[in-house]
Amino acid sequence: MLPQAYRMRDGDEFRRTIRRGASAANDAVVSHVALTDAPGVRVGLVVGKKVGNAVTRNRVKRRIRHAVVPELAGLPDGSRVVFRALPPAAARHDLSADVVDGLHRAVRRSTTKRG
């Protein structure tokens, strides 16, 4: 489970992260990462109806959260991360590799973009 302190809840924060952040995509997930001056790390998930019904969407969200929790400690302070699940994510039994790969590529791009 994603600790409450890491959850992104504000719609404006989602929009800023997606618009201003660096992104990396693969078949199942698009990862957006923006570096801010605000303290802490925040993570948000976007899983639309094209992914599947409510049961499928919730399963995809759980799998993404499970994959990202071990990576939180390695993210730079001030990171804002949004994962957007794509329809093929529903068919993946193990999203971990897609999530972690996309996250690391987006973080590399965001540090290059910032600096």
Side-chain angles (χ1 to χ4, degrees):
M1 179 182 246
L2 188 63
Q4 189 172 5
Y6 291 103
R7 293 182 191 161
M8 189 182 297
R9 290 184 188 83
D10 183 28
D12 289 334
E13 197 171 18
F14 273 87
R15 281 188 282 287
R16 279 192 305 270
T17 301
I18 291 171
R19 288 182 183 154
R20 296 181 185 159
S23 64
N26 53 42
D27 294 340
V29 180
V30 179
S31 305
H32 301 273
V33 176
L35 297 178
T36 66
D37 295 330
V41 174
R42 300 250 189 221
V43 178
L45 304 174
V46 178
V47 183
K49 288 187 177 182
K50 288 185 178 182
V51 173
N53 63 19
V55 172
T56 303
R57 292 192 309 267
N58 287 328
R59 183 180 306 124
V60 168
K61 286 187 251 184
R62 282 193 306 271
R63 289 178 177 165
I64 292 172
R65 281 190 215 111
H66 180 74
V68 77
V69 167
E71 304 297 320
L72 292 174
L75 293 175
D77 194 40
S79 294
R80 299 297 180 258
V81 182
V82 173
F83 294 102
R84 186 168 46 92
L86 302 174
R92 301 277 171 99
H93 293 290
D94 184 21
L95 282 174
S96 298
D98 293 323
V99 170
V100 171
D101 176 57
L103 176 63
H104 290 301
R105 287 189 299 132
V107 167
R108 277 196 306 271
R109 290 178 182 168
S110 68
T111 55
T112 304
K113 190 176 186 179
R114 185 181 203 194

